[in-house]
Amino acid sequence: MYAFAGKILHVNLTKRRVWSESLKRSLAEKFLGARGINAALLWRLIGRSGIDPLGPENVLIFGAGALTGTVAPSSGRTTVTCKGPTTNLYLKSNMGGHWGAELKFAGYDHLVLYGVSKSPIYLWIQDGSVEIRDASHLWGLDVRETDRLVKEEVEEKDSKVACIGPAGENLVKFSAIMSSVYHAAARGGPGAVMGSKKVKAIAVRGTGEIQLWNPEAFRELALAVRIELAKDSGSKSLYDYGTSGSLGYINSLHALPNRNFRYGHLENVDPLTGQNLVEKGYLVRRVGCFSCTTSCHRFVEVKDGPYAGTYTGGPEYETFCALGAQTLVLDTEAVIKANELCNILGLDTISTGGVIAWAMESYERGVLTKDDTDGLNLTFGNAEALIETVKRIAYREGRLGSLLAEGVRAAAEAVGKESWKWAICNSKGLEQSNVETRSAKAYALAFAVNPRGPDHLHTETFAEFGASPEAVELIKRLTGDEKWAEPYYTEYRPEIVRWHEDCYAVTDSLGFCAFASTAAYAVNPKNMAEMFRLATGIPMDEEKIMLAGRRIVTVEKCFNVREGADRRHDDLPWRLMNEPAASGPAKGMMNSREELDSMLDRYYSLHGWEIRTSWPYKETLEMLELTDVADELRRVGRLPSRK
Amino acid sequence: MEKPILLLDLDLCTGCRACMVACSLAKEKTSSLSLSRLRVLKNEPVCLAVPVICEQCAKAPCENACPVGAITRNPDTQALTVDREKCIGCKECVWACPFGAITVREGLAVKCDLCDGDPECSKVCTPGAIKFERLKPFDLERRMRSLERRVKALTTIL
């Protein structure tokens, strides 16, 4: 099979059984790769609602992109899929780095982990051979140490290691799977699922090749798209200053969430910017994921002061917001330290910052006392308390650590006293990423309908800001008029979200980075379809590939429908729906129920989903050739029909 | 006049390895890291990446080591190339190369031939870590500094 390694590797950890199967061409035609095929596998392999995400019935699926391992620009990403431990719903988490490409060169496109091992193990996958090895001596080690020791033991310095840190072992609900030390699949806590299976690490080394259907034409197109992508204005800024280069601009719009989403503006945002990392000499080098033309990832070092000797990948935009702005720790070096700890202990920085900001507000309001924090003075701006809390979460240490390790929804439920009002998660239960949705309405809709919870990594609708000529052009194409490239409008947001959903699903499934197609725009559905066709030999065009994207989004939705989710789960955090933005041009705006409802009605209609329940109609599923999914939803009584 | 050569700037290498798959695609019509003529070695905990590539040495150890004269200099590009008809697969060149820039495929030596004067790796190197340029006296100095840094960096990996 061209472009694919052609095999799915299965490992049953309970029975210690390893087998592989051919990747069917029909699966690639319908679901493209990575995220899409993972979603199809998850639907089939879990097979019913209500299983325990941290029990033996959950599966953990890794998938490399259809074009991962090729010279296509920024195409090296990997999707990790399972039932999520925070939300009890569908979870996909996506990481950059080099692990996915290595997996394909080792002979596999996907890896499925079943069951639970009795004792800690790690997997060693090398050119088609698979070993289950004891990891008792690695259990408890941080990510950096694990990476080093595993590479030593397998005697392959060029191997790529995906692993969990202590947080994943301790089943912290927002723990990460880290690869090449600093690349995280973290949102929603896939690290906890890996920890529940007692899998410490997966080391991969491949010397194989990925054959291409039409290598010459593929090469020509991929090189041309590389040049276009490098020219895009968004790419250049991402290279120079990373994702955190945008904090200053966002702050100027009063859209930089801080102090647990109470405020949108900081007097001095400079310490939290990518520009500052460069100017103050923290940036050691710019780092690229596999085959990336952009290289937005950072490697930073703190040379002096109380945090001297700290070094890590990051901090990204989200990390500076979550660990800096939300906690009001406006101290570059302290944030770098907290970021390093999250990386090596294996924590999602977004949720970590989210729960700590919630705890800080609770402490400020007297809902959490010094007793609850085990003596920690958990005030906004207290850098030492931030750093200490990160550690306590990873090890579930003391009352505070065990409370916060369960995530913000569970913590607010445990503490009560209306603290759910400032728990920034929606009905699905995931901590929201750091976008001020009150003044960005397509983002608001996208966050509400995201099957894993409110964040930007299902549908990145950055174009609505109209911040670049490319973005304005796209909005004009989607809505008919460039005046809609303005985030305060609610008009046409469902149309904008719908297009981006399909595009994002294709992007993820082919292994592309979302920045290449929905922040910069040189990678687009048309050239993705053509690259896919030339690489795989599967007939494909823009319309067909976007329909495949729609199919993927729909299967993900159906997973949640089977679990019992409905329209009520598509909402936003209480604060954002009920408390207006504090200052600036968007002062007074919020994501009111009425506003969200009007966008949801239109959004469900565009999808062919029932407006009352949000469940896909039978006819919609048939049109998408998802009849097996329809059959099962009929069986559980959640298949509305238009007739 | 000096011919253009591949100039490496360690500080700009992001470790993406597009050069490696581009090399294999151009030379072998397939995508593979192991079929690439160049390597990017990495020290991941500090995100360090070090490209290793044929330096097209003036006094080439590989050329001298080859017992059958299979490695010769292309007069147009000045690249040292392997004549696979003549190569006997003894691997003397692999041992002789101080950079480890020669590999073996199907028993015979494989090395960078500068793509006949239009090297693919530099075309895909967006950050500009691999440039195909004529060496100026100033560049020679820069190149020596770069080599020194690379050797130092390599000692942290190997």
Side-chain angles (χ1 to χ4, degrees), chain A residues 40 51 101 105 202 216 363 373 381 383 389 395 400 452 457 461 582:
Chain A
I51 65 141
F105 291 128
I202 306 164
E216 259 134 68
Y363 188 76
T373 64
T389 309
Y395 291 99
L400 184 68
R452 81 172 177 197
L457 299 163
T461 52

Side-chain angles (χ1 to χ4, degrees), chain A residues 70-145:
Chain A
T70 75
V71 75
S74 312
S75 61
R77 298 191 71 93
T78 304
T79 301
V80 183
T81 308
C82 58
K83 181 171 173 181
T86 305
T87 60
N88 277 306
L89 296 170
Y90 171 82
L91 174 64
K92 69 115 174 102
S93 213
N94 180 288
M95 64 184 175
H98 294 253
W99 191 89
E102 202 69 36
L103 184 70
K104 285 180 78 169
F105 291 128
Y108 304 102
D109 303 291
H110 296 264
L111 163 66
V112 189
L113 303 180
Y114 305 76
V116 168
S117 172
K118 274 200 196 74
S119 57
I121 61 107
Y122 74 93
L123 293 176
W124 170 223
I125 303 169
Q126 186 183 25
D127 284 332
S129 90
V130 184
E131 276 179 58
I132 301 177
R133 292 187 170 191
D134 176 50
S136 311
H137 58 300
L138 303 174
W139 208 248
L141 296 183
D142 74 32
V143 168
R144 217 149 40 198
E145 274 295 284

Side-chain angles (χ1 to χ4, degrees), chain B residues 8-20:
Chain B
L8 303 180
D9 190 333
L10 180 67
D11 292 337
L12 293 179
C13 179
T14 65
C16 78
R17 303 191 293 175
C19 52
M20 293 177 71

